[in-house]
Amino acid sequence: MARERTFALIKPYGVQRGLIGEILSRFEAKGLKIVAMKTLVVSEDLAKSYYSEHIGKPFFEPLIHYITSGPSVAMVLEGDEAVKVVRKMMGKTSPTEADPGTIRGDFGLQIGRNIIHGSDSLTSAEREISLFFEANEIVDFERIDEQWLYGE
Ligand code: DAT
Ligand code: MG
């Protein structure tokens, strides 16, 4: 198994609903390490680069409007197969399809108001991390439980 870094964003609706702590607790309890985190209001320019794969789709403009509408919390999570693990913990794109027990399955109903984003591949993770963070904002450290978590 490969140790990976992935990018996650608690979107404006998640912040407004007071779900930052709930979401972070799930990631921490899973064993993922939060190696960078910040609160920011995503600018229009950043939003358009971040969601460039969706340019031209009917939901693109509403998506940009939503993601720039209030504060979000951006983070870098590290752990074995972190990309896949975070995607599974988030659940399917549509909250009505996402399984109970997943973040989207437990806390939302509207695809246009998803409360969380997570990178869908290592390539996307690298791109998204570099859009939101400078290299010196990401902290390399060991959690004291790592030898138990990974059996090293
Ligand atoms: P994901 O967020 O699961 O990676 P995505 O990259 O396909 O899904 O879409 C990004 C966001 O765009 C998603 O969180 C919500 C919005 N979105 C996707 N498909 C949509 C649709 N059919 N109608 C409205 N919004 C949509
Ligand atoms: Mg996506």
Side-chain angles (χ1 to χ4, degrees):
M1 277 187 286
R3 208 68 54 89
E4 295 174 353
R5 282 181 174 172
T6 192
F7 174 76
L9 187 79
I10 303 175
K11 298 186 186 188
Y13 182 41
V15 173
Q16 294 302 326
R17 287 186 54 202
L19 291 170
I20 298 170
E22 166 73 38
I23 293 167
L24 293 180
S25 311
R26 290 183 181 211
F27 290 145
E28 278 198 301
K30 180 71 178 167
L32 292 164
K33 191 157 60 178
I34 302 164
V35 295
M37 184 162 66
K38 65 180 158 197
T39 301
L40 77 163
V41 178
V42 175
S43 69
E44 187 123 350
D45 280 353
L46 176 56
K48 286 180 175 162
S49 311
Y50 166 51
Y51 275 135
S52 57
E53 68 179 293
H54 298 302
I55 290 173
K57 295 182 186 168
F59 59 84
F60 182 71
E61 291 301 331
L63 183 60
I64 298 301
H65 182 260
Y66 168 50
I67 205 70
T68 57
S69 65
S72 294
V73 173
M75 70 196 78
V76 180
L77 299 163
E78 185 182 297
D80 271 2
E81 299 191 65
V83 171
K84 183 177 84 184
V85 167
V86 169
R87 291 289 291 188
K88 281 180 94 91
M89 291 178 75
M90 279 175 17
K92 291 191 181 141
T93 304
S94 169
T96 53
E97 296 298 324
D99 290 329
T102 64
I103 297 167
R104 288 169 169 175
D106 287 348
F107 301 116
L109 280 171
Q110 284 265 341
I111 195 168
R113 288 287 178 274
N114 262 341
I115 64 167
I116 188 158
H117 161 94
S119 307
D120 60 11
S121 66
L122 260 185
T123 310
S124 309
E126 280 167 18
R127 191 182 80 85
E128 291 164 1
I129 289 169
S130 66
L131 276 175
F132 282 80
F133 290 96
E134 301 291 338
N136 66 5
E137 292 178 300
I138 303 170
V139 181
D140 250 325
F141 70 100
E142 261 193 34
R143 249 172 68 162
I144 200 165
D145 61 353
E146 275 181 50
Q147 55 182 298
W148 295 94
L149 191 61
Y150 295 115
E152 285 164 358

